[in-house]
């Protein structure tokens, strides 16, 4: 596993970092940050790379330098609002404003900042810790984690932008999904980026949310470029609150319907199928949307769709948080939440593709991959809630997914 | 998944069950138990079969009926001490006293009872709940679980005796370990049995223990029978106590040395290699012994070795429990225990072969497989103990295994 210097600092530090030096490497940054701010920051030696299934080597997928002359000031303004400087050098982003990789990197950084700020406001106490890390093999990321807040037990919002050559395992996995990939000497240069998040609240009446939006480019041996989008947003409540679930699905449906009326029903079902804990015969939660390998429309149209989904994260979730964050709850309700957290761990460690490939991949940043796990979880032998109880009510829904909006 | 009627009852119920009816099927037993005892017992519909990687069909591996005339009274005496009646009918066990399957079934039932009784005594409060279950495809098991006792947070000791045809996945896995297996129409009749246990105490100064001893028989297409033993015992402390670890390894070493001076060093290393959490670069604990596919000596010699290992479980562990069960501990020490429990979950769900195959296998009894998970666990982002701390001390040992006895 390659070791990298990682900058870890409170969010307040970030705004003071000289962007130009940050974008040239974390080592330089760290020194600069320490000297220029004098605030608490921490050097951590850690492996890098969150996107799963990647191995060594710098790829050929250089950003197309399509200059966008009127892009300068707007870019500075956008970047200033991020939780940390973007992974790609600012000058390169400036020169390639029309390239999808640039547009997507800015979108995922922006989504990270929007979600983190909205959660900090809802929490009213704790702030996100920001870790900016680099991956020797190419790229890096920004991990934002809030732990033990007023409202949130553990909230992680992670961005990664990585490139290099795909691992054998990833190539096989993509082929098994039906992709026709022409390699050269077994190699496939790629670029992958995404924002990925899991938010575990303290109160059992506030549900857990997960979302992830990602973009892939692959360059085949004959120069052909493949690309696709993937992603989704899904909700995992401890107890069923019909109004909340309908609001959540309705907000996602509206985001989808702007682009294609077939998207929501298709991606809703995909979500129910994907988040299935087979050995329990239960879904992880009440679903949402999930999609992968999306390349059937133009890049721009699909980007606009993904952007709508990303923009829907805060409105589909934060109102539910605010509605329930002060609800009273019993020790029994907290315990049921902890048992459901155990199932969350089971799904993530046993089935989740990203987690599995991440763990199997040398050079992965394990702490970023496993930040999806809850702060605490519980397993009881033969726990069966009484029929007609509120615990049995949510179990029924997890066993037989419903249509929440029509 | 096939549904089975399962008898769940307090241990006190067991002694009153009419053995002859029990051994002819759990349905009959349940009625008998309810009527004859009137105590709390519970019908649970659940899939059956703990041993991983098994599928439908009754196998050809009938117990060789080697009568053992002077075996009668002795057998009754042994069986009366078990936590529940054995899986195989008593009459059949009586008729086949010299067969290895009979000898092993009696050993694992006996080990289960010895360990459960010793743990109940050490706990001084809670007793084991006993679930006796059957598997439609062939065989069954006895799961004993103690939860939320004085000393133990969660303790499971499970016996399973299953037969039928091996799954494709199991055949492939065995071949990948180097076994040459001749199938007939792709089928391989097998019989597998074992005792498997994980004990999680409450006090962070009392370590977790795991042990598992198992016996396999396979009948190839040409009538050739393959057999082997597998197993091991390993310790997972939250904090390093040198005296405890030396006692544990020394007891295992003595059990091994009675049979072959090469066993302990070989199986100690195998254990360190097997219980490796690759993505963390850490072992799960301070090791012990682990072995598989053991068939290089006579059946009887290896059985005697496995018996010594099984008999060593109580003396290698219970003195450590009694020594530390009343130790005082701080909230910080309890929290470090919970973080280590998180790593235990990671190993079991991501790497453990038995768990993985069990979860992937239709008809498995999930509650018995996952009883190995702790009652509670914790994951913190970027938790790094201070150097020179007691937390860092055990981490160093988990990263670089030591030789504890010479």
């Amino acid at each position: 596993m390659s070791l990298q210097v990682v900058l870890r600092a409170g969010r307040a530090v970030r705004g003071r970092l000289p962007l130009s030096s940050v974008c040239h490497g974390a080592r330089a940054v760290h020194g600069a940050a320490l000297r220029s701010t004098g605030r608490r920051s921490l050097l951590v030696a850690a492996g890098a790379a969150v996107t799963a299934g990647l191995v060594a080597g710098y790829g050929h997928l250089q950003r197309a330098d399509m200059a966008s002359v009127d892009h300068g000031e707007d870019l500075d303004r956008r970047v200033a609002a991020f939780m940390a400087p973007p992974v790609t050098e600012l000058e390169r982003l400036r020169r390639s404003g029309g390239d999808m990789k640039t547009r997507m990197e800015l979108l995922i950084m922006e989504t990270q900042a929007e979600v983190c700020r909205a959660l900090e406001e809802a929490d009213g106490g704790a702030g996100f810790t920001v870790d900016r890390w680099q991956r020797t093999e190419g790229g890096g990321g920004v991990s934002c984690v809030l732990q033990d807040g007023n409202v949130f037990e553990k909230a992680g919002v992670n961005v990664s932008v990585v490139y290099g050559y795909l691992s054998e395992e990833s190539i096989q996995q993509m082929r098994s999904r039906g992709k026709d990939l022409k390699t050269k000497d077994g190699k496939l240069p790629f670029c992958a980026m995404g924002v990925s998040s899991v938010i575990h609240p303290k109160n059992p009446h506030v549900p857990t949310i997960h979302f992830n939006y990602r973009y892939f480019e692959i360059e085949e041996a004959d120069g052909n470029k493949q690309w696709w989008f993937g992603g989704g947003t899904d909700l995992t409540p401890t107890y069923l609150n019909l109004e909340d679930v309908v609001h959540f699905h309705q907000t996602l449906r509206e985001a989808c319907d702007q682009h294609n009326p077939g998207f929501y029903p298709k991606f809703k079902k995909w979500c129910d199928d994907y988040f299935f804990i087979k050995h329990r015969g239960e879904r992880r939660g009440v679903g949402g949307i999930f999609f992968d390998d999306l390349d059937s429309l133009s890049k721009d149209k699909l980007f606009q769709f993904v952007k709508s989904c990303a923009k829907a994260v805060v409105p589909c979730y934060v109102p539910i948080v605010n509605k329930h964050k002060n609800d009273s709850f019993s020790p029994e309700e907290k315990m049921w939440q902890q048992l459901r957290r155990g199932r969350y761990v089971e799904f993530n460690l046993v089935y989740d593709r990203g987690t599995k490939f991440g763990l199997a991949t040398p050079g992965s940043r394990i702490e970023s991959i496993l930040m999806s796990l809850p702060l605490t979880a519980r397993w009881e032998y033969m726990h069966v809630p009484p029929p007609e109880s509120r615990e049995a009510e949510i179990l029924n829904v997890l066993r037989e997914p419903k249509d929440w909006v029509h």
Side-chain angles (χ1 to χ4, degrees), chain A:
Chain A
M1 191 163 77
S2 57
L3 290 185
Q4 277 289 303
V5 176
V6 172
L7 170 66
R8 196 176 187 208
R11 190 162 68 83
V13 174
R14 177 198 38 85
R16 303 189 178 205
L17 294 180
L19 292 190
S20 57
S21 70
V22 167
C23 298
H24 289 101
R27 269 181 195 82
V29 175
H30 173 69
L34 276 183
R35 279 190 296 275
S36 66
T37 69
R39 299 210 183 187
R40 183 184 71 90
S41 49
L42 175 64
L43 261 188
V44 184
V50 145
T51 302
L54 319 172
V55 255
Y58 187 97
H60 306 323
L61 283 168
Q62 297 298 323
R63 198 146 306 215
D65 286 353
M66 299 192 279
S68 167
V69 281
D70 61 354
H71 195 248
E73 277 185 33
D74 181 47
L75 183 67
D76 288 342
R77 194 180 45 76
R78 290 181 74 182
V79 167
F82 294 168
M83 298 299 281
V87 176
T88 304
E89 289 173 31
L90 199 61
E91 284 314 308
R92 177 166 285 185
L93 291 174
R94 203 184 301 280
R95 288 198 310 270
S96 60
D99 188 280
M100 185 51 73
K101 291 190 290 299
T102 298
R103 296 170 72 190
M104 190 66 181
E105 183 169 344
L106 296 175
L107 174 64
I108 59 183
M109 291 297 301
E110 205 158 68
T111 303
Q112 180 182 53
E114 276 174 18
V115 172
C116 288
R117 297 231 162 79
L119 294 177
E120 280 179 349
E121 197 186 323
D123 193 83
F128 277 87
T129 296
V130 180
D131 284 339
R132 192 172 183 280
W133 47 269
Q134 286 202 311
R135 177 174 176 266
T136 322
E137 299 89 343
V142 177
S143 295
C144 299
V145 177
L146 181 160
Q147 211 161 256
D148 205 15
N150 293 333
V151 172
F152 300 107
E153 186 177 278
K154 196 169 169 194
V157 189
N158 191 59
V159 155
S160 66
V161 178
V162 294
Y163 42 85
Y165 294 107
L166 278 180
S167 69
E168 278 278 326
E169 208 172 348
S170 297
I171 295 173
Q172 277 179 15
Q173 198 217 8
M174 287 172 184
R175 283 184 173 145
S176 76
R177 295 206 312 256
K179 288 201 181 295
D180 181 24
L181 299 168
K182 290 177 282 295
T183 59
K184 189 179 178 181
D185 304 327
K187 286 187 169 178
L188 260 186
F190 81 100
C191 175
M193 58 183 72
V195 57
S196 168
S197 172
V198 180
I199 314 297
H200 294 293
K202 289 182 164 174
N203 191 312
H205 300 301
V206 182
T208 288
I209 192 177
H210 158 256
F211 70 89
N212 167 235
Y213 291 97
R214 57 193 181 273
Y215 175 67
F216 249 86
E217 279 191 16
I218 280 180
E219 188 176 318
E220 293 186 273
D222 58 5
N224 180 43
K225 281 187 186 175
Q226 291 201 36
W227 57 267
W228 66 91
F229 291 92
T233 302
D234 67 283
L235 197 73
T236 305
T238 299
Y239 289 99
L240 184 64
N241 180 306
L242 189 63
E243 195 181 65
D244 295 348
V245 182
V246 169
H247 163 79
F248 179 80
H249 275 269
Q250 187 62 40
T251 310
L252 294 178
R253 173 168 206 146
E254 283 162 16
C256 292
D257 284 355
Q258 292 171 42
H259 303 274
N260 187 320
F263 278 175
Y264 172 78
K266 186 175 172 187
F267 302 153
K268 191 268 184 197
K269 184 178 181 310
W270 202 337
C271 189
D272 287 335
D273 293 343
Y274 180 75
F275 292 103
F276 184 54
I277 309 172
K278 199 179 161 193
H279 61 268
R280 299 285 190 180
E282 299 167 4
R283 274 86 205 154
R284 187 174 76 174
V286 296
I289 54 171
F290 181 90
F291 55 88
D292 207 353
D293 300 319
L294 221 60
D295 60 2
S296 52
L297 296 172
S298 73
K299 255 187 208 177
D300 184 63
K301 280 193 172 154
L302 289 172
F303 174 76
Q304 295 301 339
F305 163 62
V306 166
K307 187 175 169 183
S308 291
C309 294
K311 296 283 174 201
V313 170
V314 169
C316 79
Y317 182 57
V318 174
I320 300 176
V321 174
N322 287 327
K323 185 175 153 197
H324 294 291
K325 67 185 180 185
N326 296 318
D327 286 3
S328 62
F329 58 87
S330 66
E332 291 71 28
E333 288 169 334
K334 186 70 189 171
M335 196 169 288
W336 175 244
Q337 179 203 52
Q338 293 297 297
L339 288 169
R340 299 311 308 168
R341 293 268 155 91
R343 304 295 169 94
Y344 210 92
V345 172
E346 288 177 29
F347 179 84
N348 285 25
L349 294 182
V350 178
Y351 299 106
D352 189 64
R353 274 185 231 160
T355 306
K356 283 171 79 170
F357 275 82
L359 295 187
T361 300
S364 293
R365 187 169 191 262
I366 294 302
E367 289 291 341
S368 295
I369 295 168
L370 294 185
M371 78 183 182
S372 66
L373 299 179
L375 194 63
T376 53
R378 183 178 181 91
W379 285 267
E380 283 184 25
Y381 178 70
M382 297 293 280
H383 185 280
V384 183
E388 313 300 325
S389 64
R390 293 210 64 205
E391 290 77 16
E393 181 188 30
I394 184 87
L395 269 185
N396 288 339
V397 167
L398 302 177
R399 285 172 186 156
E400 292 204 28
K402 302 214 173 327
D403 284 331
W404 304 101
V405 290
H406 298 279

